[in-house]
Amino acid sequence: MNATVAPAMSTQSDTKEDILIVDDTIANIQFLSSLLVEQGYLVRKALNGPMALQSIHADPPSLILLDINMPGMNGYEVCRVLKENEQLKKIPIIFLSALDSAQDKVQAFQMGGADYITKPFQLEEVIARIENQLALKRAQESLLAQNLTLQRVLEELRQTHLRLLQQEKMASIGQLAAGMAHEINNPLSFIAGNLSPAREYLATLFELLDQYQAACPNPPESVQRILKEIDLEFIARDFKSLVDAMQNGVDRIQSIILALRIFSRLGEAEIKSVNLHDGLDSTLLLLNQPLADLKIRVIKTYGDLPPVKCHAGQVNQVFLNILNNAIEALSSAVQKQQLQEDPTIWICTERTSPTTIQVRIRDNGVGISPEVQRQLFDPFFTTKPIGQGVGLNLASSYQIIVNHHHGQLTVESAKGVGAEFCIELPIALRAEAV
């Protein structure tokens, strides 16, 4: 090897970098090795391509000085093998060769070489180029680490944003239910409390009229004319139906208020044992109108579930989200005339183990494509047009079931054959888990 030796230069690296020298000439390896060791580098040696690859796979170096002309497997082939390996492709390779044609250099860079030094070389040049490549490598690693940190921070921000939105949504629902219960209960109680005495008072009046008619079968002509105009017999018959209809309306409103209270679990502890069937039924009652508008059948197959210790308000929110999605899927199928049978939602519950229960909600709507399924639980993903949805419901549902309750939320579907969401929950949730 022809080389001009200069005084040793101090490396800029704070730690010892590991350099692999690959050359079939022992004298060349010994010469370069001794000089690099003086600069503070750790040096390894390989006399041919296969030996170099074996050493690299066992322990990847920081940088490779690679000769081109070697028997059996030349430097280009070694470089190609390394660049095809995802774990090794980022190791900088400096070709060190007596070949000095432009074609050789172009080929070296095309193969993925980071630099090219022509023999005979100046030691200062070798050290400078090594330091340059190692500095670039450290900068790339630092940038990659920063990118990973930024990605983690971004994901944490997205999750925090989603969690805050979910908390705000649940708080809004609780406030809405509390407001409705307070504002409606007072006048409703007044109406309900007065229906019974009103029924008694009017029954007494009709009884008095009957007695009067019996005592005075031939009232004055002016009274007979009024009786004929108002059709007293019809009023007497219809009044009972009128009061019964008002009572049914009052009962209906009271059941909706009860459903809201069950749905949001107002005034209850954050985590307590509840009957999930009550939550499902209250959610269905709140969705009664869209279910009725689309004439959707709801088939319930409830198993023998024990009380489940959970954050009931959050779990009921998941029921609402999934049922709403099922209603939207069925609405789309009805509009596109894609249903071969009546729009239907099936709800099945069962105990799947001594410690877990399962709730499955299935519809026969348009189904979900595999592409959409892969993103279904991603924050802010939506298939709706801009302005018609923010894609939070299923992402927040996943957070509630998986992160807050240590359960599972999965979906099985195919385009055109409906979808089934499966919720699996532990029967007993630790209070500190949510």
Side-chain angles (χ1 to χ4, degrees):
M1 172 184 294
N2 297 320
T4 302
V5 180
M9 297 172 59
S10 61
T11 177
Q12 298 175 2
S13 175
D14 295 329
T15 59
K16 292 185 177 181
E17 303 282 359
D18 182 12
I19 297 178
L20 174 64
I21 304 174
V22 186
D23 198 313
D24 61 330
T25 304
I26 296 177
N28 291 347
I29 290 181
Q30 291 176 339
F31 178 75
L32 272 175
S33 176
S34 62
L35 295 176
L36 293 175
V37 168
E38 289 180 8
Q39 304 301 314
Y41 295 107
L42 296 175
V43 179
R44 284 187 283 158
K45 308 135 189 175
L47 291 172
N48 53 56
M51 183 185 298
L53 292 175
Q54 184 177 4
S55 175
I56 294 167
H57 281 287
D59 184 15
S62 303
L63 181 141
I64 301 172
L65 290 175
L66 181 59
D67 189 21
I68 294 177
N69 285 331
M70 294 184 294
M73 187 178 197
N74 64 32
Y76 295 140
E77 293 174 330
V78 173
C79 184
R80 178 184 56 78
V81 172
L82 293 177
K83 296 306 176 181
E84 290 175 352
N85 187 303
E86 287 296 323
Q87 283 72 41
L88 305 175
K89 63 188 299 184
K90 294 183 180 179
I91 300 174
I93 297 174
I94 298 178
F95 283 102
L96 200 61
S97 175
L99 301 174
D100 61 352
S101 70
Q103 183 178 354
D104 291 317
K105 295 178 182 179
V106 168
Q107 185 176 356
F109 287 116
Q110 287 177 341
M111 296 299 297
D115 205 344
Y116 192 103
I117 302 176
T118 304
K119 301 175 184 177
F121 53 80
Q122 296 285 336
L123 181 60
E124 294 92 333
E125 178 186 11
V126 174
I127 298 300
R129 295 199 182 205
I130 289 175
E131 277 297 326
N132 181 54
Q133 292 302 321
L134 291 175
L136 287 174
K137 183 173 180 288
R138 287 190 291 268
Q140 290 171 351
E141 291 172 348
S142 175
L143 183 60
L144 178 60
Q146 291 176 16
N147 285 339
L148 292 175
T149 301
L150 288 174
Q151 289 176 6
R152 285 195 298 270
V153 171
L154 178 60
E155 182 60 26
E156 289 173 2
L157 288 174
R158 287 164 63 91
Q159 295 298 335
T160 301
H161 187 200
L162 181 62
R163 185 165 57 253
L164 290 174
L165 287 172
Q166 175 62 26
Q167 291 172 352
E168 183 179 351
K169 181 188 293 185
M170 293 303 299
S172 298
I173 291 174
Q175 291 170 2
L176 175 63
M180 290 180 65
H182 177 75
E183 295 296 331
I184 296 175
N185 256 341
N186 288 338
L188 186 64
S189 298
F190 176 79
I191 296 170
N194 285 289
L195 275 177
S196 182
R199 192 195 304 267
E200 294 177 3
Y201 296 158
L202 287 169
T204 301
L205 287 175
F206 280 121
E207 184 179 354
L208 177 61
L209 286 173
D210 289 341
Q211 293 296 328
Y212 174 78
Q213 285 179 321
C216 302
N218 297 308
E221 184 178 345
S222 59
V223 174
Q224 290 184 15
R225 185 173 63 253
I226 293 174
L227 289 173
K228 186 176 181 181
E229 288 177 355
I230 66 174
D231 194 355
L232 184 61
E233 292 182 2
F234 172 77
I235 292 176
R237 290 194 309 270
D238 190 57
F239 179 73
K240 184 178 183 302
S241 299
L242 185 67
V243 175
D244 288 343
M246 288 190 288
Q247 185 65 58
N248 289 336
V250 168
D251 293 342
R252 171 69 177 167
I253 296 171
Q254 287 177 331
S255 67
I256 292 174
I257 291 176
L258 177 61
L260 279 170
R261 287 184 175 276
I262 294 173
F263 178 80
S264 59
R265 295 288 173 178
L266 295 175
E268 296 184 358
E270 284 291 299
I271 301 174
K272 65 176 296 183
S273 294
V274 296
N275 185 342
L276 289 187
H277 294 157
D278 289 343
L280 285 165
D281 290 338
S282 68
T283 306
L284 288 171
L285 185 57
L286 295 177
L287 294 172
N288 182 69
Q289 193 59 51
L291 290 169
D293 291 344
L294 291 168
K295 299 179 180 180
I296 297 174
R297 291 190 304 157
V298 177
I299 300 176
K300 297 186 290 186
T301 306
Y302 287 172
D304 185 15
L305 295 188
V308 175
K309 193 172 184 180
C310 64
H311 192 307
Q314 291 188 1
V315 174
N316 289 340
Q317 179 68 44
V318 174
F319 294 156
L320 180 66
N321 291 342
I322 294 176
L323 286 168
N324 258 328
N325 276 278
I327 292 171
E328 289 183 4
L330 290 170
S331 175
S332 178
V334 169
Q335 291 175 3
K336 297 176 181 178
Q337 299 181 340
Q338 294 179 334
L339 292 182
Q340 303 299 320
E341 53 188 3
D342 294 337
T344 307
I345 293 175
W346 292 266
I347 304 176
C348 177
T349 66
E350 62 177 327
R351 185 169 184 168
T352 51
S353 79
T355 59
T356 59
I357 63 92
Q358 195 175 85
V359 179
R360 297 192 304 276
I361 300 175
R362 179 167 66 90
D363 66 75
N364 59 344
V366 295
I368 307 171
S369 67
E371 294 77 14
V372 172
Q373 285 186 54
R374 284 192 288 269
Q375 306 175 72
L376 204 57
F377 301 124
D378 291 348
F380 310 107
F381 172 76
T382 180
T383 58
K384 299 177 183 178
I386 295 174
Q388 295 186 21
V390 291
L392 290 176
N393 288 346
L394 291 178
S396 64
S397 298
Y398 188 87
Q399 287 277 328
I400 289 170
I401 299 300
V402 177
N403 294 348
H404 295 182
H405 288 80
H406 304 303
Q408 294 183 13
L409 177 59
T410 57
V411 60
E412 291 185 5
S413 179
K415 196 73 172 175
V417 296
E420 180 177 84
F421 286 84
C422 180
I423 302 166
E424 186 170 276
L425 287 171
I427 292 173
L429 177 68
R430 298 187 307 274
E432 64 271 15
V434 177

